[in-house]
């Protein structure tokens, strides 16, 4: 039956318009009014108002390293121990103890990790407390740990197709937890999980850093963001906005010598790569010891000697294998028997030995033999007479010889 438009639009009390029409009208007016509503007034500062007012002192959570009301970016190479040092920072701040000899300001602290489970946090915490000489019970109500390993939706913000940032539920959860527990220091570990934008997009990076600064302001404290360097060797990965947007950036690594080797694989250094509020540089040197980090003076002298000896032996082992690989490639058969083809003597005169002496090459040969890294009297290649040349050969355990800089003892620190 055809609709009677006149009847349907001629409303009276018994034939009132449906409720959805009122809702639609209100929504249109609300949208119209919102688009034309004046923006909030900017909070301009009149410097004259500071006349006669005492200059406020700058506040820090870790003196000269981690400023308040700012996000600090901590980067470092893999295996340097960024997560461990961050949990240790949080512990020291929670108790008001010096962090590796540097003054801290006590406040409740939160350490959040996306890569380690609760058991790993437990192991670290016991070692940290042991080296600090405190009982783990002293942290009650002061230090809070959170593992988000395996959780979905860890990003603090998302970005739409136009590059605009939208705060994610995880950020709201973190800020709420900080408010509920009066957190004044928070570590966000790490950017690979918490930042899901394009690390090369300056606008997105700037927006994310600003969001972390917002968290620092909201908790009236400090935030540390743990990041990673890139493969090219820079101390941070992605856009230069990571460097430009933060006011404080720390870099942590295992010190190496001029040849790229680690004299001591337990040694660490933290540098102020960028510091708008303190002098740049200021290297903080410390060491791994019994599961956490301590100042070098806290490590017993005999253990320092053992560590140095292990590093030296590891380098000599690597250089022996480098020389062996070079000799094999040149079809120079070497032997463990003291004679014209004696491997330690030949290797000590090769440029790949980096100055390692014959006696040290001999010790390296014995170590590698006991480790099963080399074998003696092995078939190497057939000569022109179709007979096998025999000599020292790297075993299958050595799948790729170390690089000619003597290997990288930093790759697997103690």
């Amino acid at each position: 039956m055809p609709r009677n438009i006149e009847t349907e639009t001629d409303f009276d009390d018994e034939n009132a318009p449906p409720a959805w029409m009122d809702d639609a009208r209100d929504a249109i007016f609300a949208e119209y009014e919102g688009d034309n509503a004046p923006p909030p007034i900017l909070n301009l500062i009149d410097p004259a108002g500071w006349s006669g007012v005492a200059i406020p002192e700058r506040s820090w959570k870790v003196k000269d390293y981690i400023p308040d009301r700012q996000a600090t970016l901590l980067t470092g190479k893999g295996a340097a121990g960024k997560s461990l040092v961050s949990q240790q920072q949080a512990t020291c701040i929670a108790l008001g103890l010096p962090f590796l000899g540097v003054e801290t300001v006590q406040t409740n602290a939160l350490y959040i990790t996306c890569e380690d489970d609760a058991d790993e946090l437990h192991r670290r915490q016991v070692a940290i407390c042991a080296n600090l000489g405190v009982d783990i019970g002293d942290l009650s109500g002061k230090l809070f740990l959170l593992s988000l390993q395996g959780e979905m939706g860890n990003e603090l913000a998302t970005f739409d197709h136009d590059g605009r940032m939208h705060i994610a539920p995880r950020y709201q959860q973190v800020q709420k937890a900080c408010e509920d527990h009066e957190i004044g220091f928070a570590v966000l570990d790490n950017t690979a999980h918490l930042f899901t934008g394009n690390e090369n997009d300056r606008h997105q990076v700037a927006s994310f850093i600003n969001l972390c600064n917002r968290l620092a302001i909201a908790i009236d404290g400090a935030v540390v963001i743990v990041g990673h360097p890139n493969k090219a060797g820079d101390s941070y990965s992605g856009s230069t906005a990571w460097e430009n947007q933060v006011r404080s950036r720390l870099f942590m690594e295992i010190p190496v010598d001029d040849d790229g080797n680690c004299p001591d694989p337990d040694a660490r250094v933290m540098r102020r790569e960028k510091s708008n509020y303190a002098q740049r540089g200021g290297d903080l040197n410390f060491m791994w010891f019994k599961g956490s980090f301590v100042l070098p003076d806290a490590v017993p002298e005999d253990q320092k000697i053992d560590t140095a000896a292990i590093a030296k032996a590891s380098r000599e082992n690597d250089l022996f294998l480098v020389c062996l690989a070079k000799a094999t490639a040149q079809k120079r058969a070497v032997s463990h028997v003291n004679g014209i083809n004696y491997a330690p003597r030949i290797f000590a005169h090769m440029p790949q030995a980096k100055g390692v002496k014959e006696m040290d090459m001999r010790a390296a040969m014995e170590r590698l033999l006991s480790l099963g890294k080399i074998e003696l009297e092995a078939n190497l290649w057939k000569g022109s007479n179709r007979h096998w040349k025999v000599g020292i050969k790297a075993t299958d355990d050595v799948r790729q010889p170390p690089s000619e800089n003597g290997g990288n003892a930093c790759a697997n620190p103690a």
Side-chain angles (χ1 to χ4, degrees):
M1 179 177 180
R3 299 172 58 190
N4 188 332
I5 303 300
E6 293 183 0
T7 301
E8 291 188 9
T9 56
D10 186 15
F11 299 116
D12 53 28
D13 292 339
E14 295 181 358
N15 191 22
W20 65 265
M21 292 184 66
D22 291 333
D23 294 340
R25 179 197 60 203
D26 293 343
I28 292 173
F29 281 121
E31 182 178 356
Y32 177 80
E33 292 172 358
D35 288 343
N36 291 274
I41 298 175
L42 294 174
N43 187 21
L44 302 180
I45 297 174
D46 181 0
W50 292 332
S51 179
V53 178
I55 300 175
E57 291 187 14
R58 188 173 307 284
S59 59
W60 305 82
K61 281 298 175 280
V62 178
K63 179 69 173 175
D64 295 335
Y65 283 86
I66 302 178
D68 268 328
R69 300 175 68 81
Q70 291 285 337
T72 294
L73 179 62
L74 168 63
T75 62
K77 296 181 179 179
K82 300 181 295 296
S83 296
L84 173 59
V85 83
S86 299
Q87 188 172 337
Q88 188 164 333
Q89 283 176 348
T91 302
C92 292
I93 290 171
L95 296 172
L97 298 175
F99 168 68
L100 298 171
V102 182
E103 174 188 348
T104 68
V105 175
Q106 194 282 325
T107 186
N108 290 352
L110 170 65
Y111 172 75
I112 301 174
T113 175
C114 297
E115 295 189 341
D116 296 301
D117 60 17
D119 287 344
E120 180 59 26
L121 296 180
H122 185 179
R123 287 187 287 268
R124 281 191 206 148
Q125 197 60 57
V126 170
I128 291 170
C129 289
N131 277 334
L132 290 175
V134 299
D135 188 276
I136 199 168
D138 296 339
L139 295 168
S140 179
K142 299 177 181 178
L143 175 65
F144 300 88
L145 308 176
L146 174 63
S147 171
L148 296 175
Q149 184 193 48
E151 297 287 335
M152 297 294 104
N154 286 335
E155 63 273 5
L156 300 183
T158 58
F159 297 88
D160 61 24
H161 292 297
D162 295 323
R164 292 173 298 190
M165 187 179 74
H166 303 276
I167 294 176
R170 186 68 79 200
Y171 174 87
Q172 297 171 334
Q173 288 180 317
V174 170
Q175 181 171 332
K176 181 68 165 56
C178 290
E179 293 170 350
D180 291 346
H181 298 283
E182 300 180 338
I183 303 297
F185 177 71
V187 178
L188 308 175
D189 187 4
N190 59 48
T191 56
H193 299 266
L194 300 169
F195 173 72
T196 55
N198 182 352
E199 67 176 8
N200 295 304
D201 188 309
R202 297 174 62 84
H203 174 71
Q204 292 187 9
V205 171
S207 298
F208 177 77
I209 295 296
N210 196 43
L211 180 64
C212 295
N213 284 332
R214 171 177 171 169
L215 178 61
I217 294 170
I219 67 176
D220 193 22
V223 170
V224 169
I225 315 164
V226 180
H228 296 289
N230 65 20
K231 292 181 179 179
D234 293 334
S235 55
Y236 60 90
S237 178
S239 167
T240 54
W242 291 104
E243 167 78 2
N244 296 335
Q245 292 301 314
V246 293
R247 293 294 174 262
S248 173
R249 184 171 67 82
L250 307 175
F251 183 72
M252 178 178 169
E253 65 178 344
I254 304 172
V256 297
D257 58 23
D258 294 339
D259 293 326
N261 301 304
C262 299
D264 187 344
D266 287 341
R268 300 291 189 277
V269 61
M270 182 181 290
R271 299 187 176 91
R272 292 194 294 258
E273 291 278 301
K274 179 180 180 181
S275 181
N276 284 24
Y277 307 137
Q279 184 177 6
R280 185 177 176 182
D283 291 359
L284 182 60
N285 293 284
F286 49 100
M287 300 187 70
W288 184 95
F289 180 66
K290 293 185 177 180
S292 72
F293 294 118
V294 299
L295 293 173
D297 291 344
V299 180
E301 198 63 30
D302 60 337
Q303 297 203 29
K304 289 183 185 178
I305 295 172
D306 290 343
T307 300
I310 291 171
K312 179 176 179 292
S314 178
R315 179 172 184 264
E316 291 166 358
N317 289 355
D318 285 342
L319 289 173
F320 185 97
L321 292 173
V322 168
C323 292
L324 178 60
K326 189 69 173 179
T328 302
Q330 295 173 342
K331 292 199 171 183
R332 297 171 63 191
V334 294
S335 171
H336 66 292
V337 178
N338 193 348
I340 192 172
N341 294 327
Y342 188 46
R345 185 177 303 115
I346 291 174
F347 291 172
H349 290 87
M350 293 175 64
Q352 290 78 11
K354 302 287 185 180
V356 174
K357 305 299 183 184
E358 179 180 337
M359 61 179 296
D360 295 323
M361 282 294 185
R362 182 167 60 249
M365 181 176 66
E366 295 298 331
R367 286 191 298 266
L368 292 169
L369 184 60
S370 73
L371 291 170
K373 299 296 184 182
I374 59 174
E375 56 181 303
L376 310 178
E377 302 293 340
N379 289 336
L380 301 177
W381 58 82
K382 287 186 177 181
S384 56
N385 59 1
R386 303 180 63 84
H387 292 161
W388 281 98
K389 282 283 187 179
V390 297
I392 300 175
K393 177 183 178 182
T395 64
D396 292 339
D397 289 342
V398 184
R399 300 187 185 281
Q400 183 176 356
S403 63
E404 292 195 8
N405 67 2
N408 181 11
C410 306
N412 295 294

